Amino acid sequence: MRCKKENIKVVIFMATFNGEKYIKDQIRSILNQSFKNWDLFISDDLSSDNTVAIIKRFQQKDSRIKKVISNNDKHGSFCNFYNVMRYVNNNYNKVYDYYFYCDQDDIWESGKIEVEIKTLENNKKIWGKLPLLCYSDLNLVDREGKKSLGLLSSYTHIKLENPYNIFFSPRYIWGTTMAHNKELWELLRLDIQIPNSISHDNYIGKYAATFGKIIFIDKALVNYRRHGDNVSGIPPKYNFISALKRILTQWKSILNNHAGNYWATIFFINTLEKKNSLICELSNCLMKNGLYAWKFVHKYNISISDNLFNKVAFKFILYTGLYKNCSIFKNNIKKW
C-alpha cells in the first residue's frame, strides 16, 4: 500500500562550481518549498570562490542539507552531477521515493516539488510501477533573477510529444525542471564511467523513454537565470530564411551537433544491461543508417523540427551517416 504523502521522501541533487553570486537564491528557493520532507546533497567541483563556505553556512542551520562533497579535482558540470548521484546510490540506496535535480543559479517556484510529486503520484495510479519522469517549462529571467524574459517554450520546442525524439535531440528535458520515481532511479547505470559530454538529464530521459513514461507539465516551475555563464544554451527556433542560412553557413557545426547527439545515444545503448526491440532497431538506425534509419524514423514518427530545411537536413544526415566522419563521433566510438 502506498505510503501517506507526509511519509514521501525526496532527494535533491545539486552540482556547484564558482556559484557564489547566485547560489543563495537557489538554496533559499529550496528551503521555501511547500513540500518539506527532502534531503539535499551537493557536489562541488573544486570552486575557487566562496561557494562551499556559503553552502556550509546554510548547512549549519538546516540538517536537511545532508552532504557537501568537495572534489579534489574538476569533473566537469555533468560528471559533477554523476558524482553526487553515485554518492547517494552508494550510501542512501532505497531511501527516497522521488529524485530531483537543480542547478546552482536558478530559483524554484515554491510549489515545484509538490506539483511534480502530485504529477508522478497521479500517473502512478495509471501506470503502476512503471518508471516515470516529469518535467516542466521554465521562466527565463535576467541575471538578477527579477525580470521575466518569457517562457523557454516560446523560444524553443521543449514539449516531448513523441518520447523517442529524445534519442535524436537533447533539447527537450531540462534537468532543473525534472523529477522521477524510484523505479527509474533503479534502472540507471551509475556503476560505470559516464563522460562529461553526456548530460545527466538527457541520459536519464533516455531511460524513461525506453522503459517508462515521460510527462510534460505545461507550467513554469523554475526561474532559469540567464547570465552568460550557463552550461546549457537555448536552442533557437528557426523560420524558413534563418534555417536555410544556418544550413548554408554552419554545415560543419550542424554535422558536429548531430554527431554528438547520436554518439550519446549509442553510448546509452551500449551501457544497457537489457535491450528491447526498440533499442535493437535504434542501434541499427544509428550504426547502419540507410534503410534501417528510414524504417525507424517512419515507424516511430521521429520529428525533431517543424521547419522544412531542418527536417531535410536531419533525414539527410541520419540516412547517409555523414556524422560518422566527424571526429567527435569517431573518437568517442573508439574510446568508449
Side-chain angles (χ1 to χ4, degrees), residues 110-176:
S110 60
K112 178 186 187 296
I113 295 178
E114 187 172 358
V115 168
E116 296 195 310
I117 288 176
K118 184 177 180 180
T119 298
L120 293 167
E121 289 278 299
N122 287 341
N123 276 272
K124 181 177 180 178
K125 296 174 183 177
I126 301 171
W127 303 108
K129 290 187 175 296
L130 210 62
L132 299 173
L133 181 150
C134 69
Y135 71 107
S136 75
D137 205 344
L138 305 98
N139 180 41
L140 304 178
V141 294
D142 63 5
R143 66 175 60 243
E144 302 303 322
K146 296 178 180 179
K147 182 181 178 181
S148 175
L149 306 176
L151 296 175
L152 178 65
S153 58
S154 67
Y155 288 85
T156 188
H157 188 71
I158 62 169
K159 186 175 181 180
L160 194 60
E161 290 98 345
N162 181 351
Y164 304 139
N165 285 344
I166 198 174
F167 297 125
F168 302 90
S169 174
R171 71 188 305 149
Y172 302 102
I173 299 173
W174 292 60
T176 187

Side-chain angles (χ1 to χ4, degrees), residues 36-102:
K36 303 297 184 183
N37 196 18
W38 50 261
D39 289 336
L40 173 61
F41 292 83
I42 301 170
S43 179
D44 182 77
D45 213 20
L46 202 63
S47 290
S48 58
D49 64 2
N50 293 316
T51 298
V52 174
I54 292 169
I55 295 169
K56 288 188 174 180
R57 286 198 291 270
F58 277 103
Q59 188 180 30
Q60 290 171 358
K61 298 177 182 179
D62 198 313
S63 61
R64 293 175 297 177
I65 303 177
K66 291 294 185 184
K67 179 71 176 179
V68 183
I69 305 168
S70 296
N71 300 324
N72 294 321
D73 53 19
K74 292 181 181 179
H75 291 69
S77 56
F78 298 127
C79 281
N80 202 18
F81 266 109
Y82 295 128
N83 186 49
V84 68
M85 290 164 67
R86 288 190 186 97
Y87 178 85
V88 169
N89 189 55
N90 293 335
N91 296 281
Y92 293 85
N93 198 20
K94 302 186 183 302
V95 171
Y96 300 103
D97 300 291
Y98 295 112
Y99 299 75
F100 288 72
Y101 304 77
C102 73

